[in-house]
Amino acid sequence: MIGFLRGALLRKTPQELILDVSGVGYRVLVPISTFCRLGDQGAEAQLLIHTHVREDQLVLYGFATPVELELFEKLISVSGVGPKVALGVLSGIEAEDLVHAIRGNDVARLTRVPGVGKKTAERLILELKDKIAALHVGTAEPQTSSPKRTDLLSALANLGYSSAEADRAATEVLRLQPDATLGDLLRDALRVISRR
């Protein structure tokens, strides 16, 4: 089983990428959160991999952090939740918010994730609450606590964007332009959100 890959990004889209590892191109499906953490095409990337084997196919799912990988594996252990739904969940809600929603029995928050209905949300809470009790979540990115990031997230929230949309856009624009003004960052973040 493949558990880790490091190589150059040959192609990068919000849902999948091609990673060139010593001349072999691996197609890897990724959540939006991982997509936003990766560099541009041609940059080196490293991913934790979940290899999903079925009778008719072998699919690689890639994650930037151990927490995302662990949550993905816990999600697919829930009855009725396959890899496609699990990837959609991790694309629609940040890992930390997902853990807090499950721990707090927040069915309403989970049903705001595309593809998750009330019954699925209740099943996630029922089957995962105890399994994630000891899971430590929190971002290790230093930009998370910066005043500029906080102001940008606040501005996007005031414009009506979800915390997941705002966080992904803020992560991307701050990675590309950490010294830009708040106005420029907001303009670029709105462009990032409108592309999706």
Side-chain angles (χ1 to χ4, degrees):
M1 293 290 189
I2 297 170
F4 175 82
L5 289 173
R6 177 175 28 226
L9 287 167
L10 290 182
R11 189 176 76 198
K12 177 186 172 192
T13 67
Q15 296 172 341
E16 71 174 56
L17 52 90
I18 303 290
L19 197 63
D20 176 359
V21 180
S22 300
V24 178
Y26 290 90
R27 178 176 175 256
V28 184
L29 304 183
V30 296
I32 295 290
S33 53
T34 292
F35 168 82
C36 291
R37 288 185 178 101
L38 298 175
D40 294 326
Q41 192 169 310
E44 182 172 294
Q46 56 184 32
L47 295 169
L48 298 168
I49 301 293
H50 171 86
T51 305
H52 191 75
V53 180
R54 288 196 341 206
E55 190 176 295
D56 58 341
Q57 63 179 322
L58 184 143
V59 183
L60 302 178
Y61 294 90
F63 305 92
T65 67
V67 170
E68 286 180 333
L69 173 62
E70 187 171 350
L71 281 172
F72 176 82
E73 291 177 341
K74 290 190 184 313
L75 284 167
I76 61 174
S77 74
V78 174
S79 59
V81 177
K84 185 176 180 182
V85 172
L87 205 63
V89 169
L90 290 173
S91 290
I93 184 172
E94 290 297 316
E96 188 170 0
D97 293 339
L98 175 61
V99 170
H100 290 311
I102 292 170
R103 287 178 181 164
N105 298 320
D106 192 348
V107 172
R109 175 64 184 103
L110 292 173
T111 55
R112 288 199 300 267
V113 176
V116 177
K118 186 176 180 187
K119 287 185 178 179
T120 302
E122 290 170 345
R123 197 164 48 246
L124 290 175
I125 290 169
L126 178 67
E127 294 189 32
L128 295 182
K129 191 169 186 178
D130 292 337
K131 293 180 182 178
I132 65 168
L135 184 65
H136 173 71
V137 291
T139 179
E141 295 177 47
Q143 65 198 23
T144 301
S145 59
S146 75
K148 193 179 287 187
R149 181 180 176 82
T150 302
D151 291 344
L152 180 57
L153 290 173
S154 176
L156 290 168
N158 288 332
L159 290 171
Y161 294 102
S162 72
S163 61
E165 287 176 310
D167 189 61
R168 284 192 295 270
T171 297
E172 185 169 335
V173 298
L174 283 166
R175 180 177 56 81
L176 296 173
Q177 306 173 57
D179 299 324
T181 65
L182 180 61
D184 289 341
L185 290 170
L186 181 57
R187 183 191 66 233
D188 292 343
L190 292 172
R191 284 187 187 141
V192 168
I193 292 171
S194 69
R195 286 197 313 252
R196 296 192 173 135

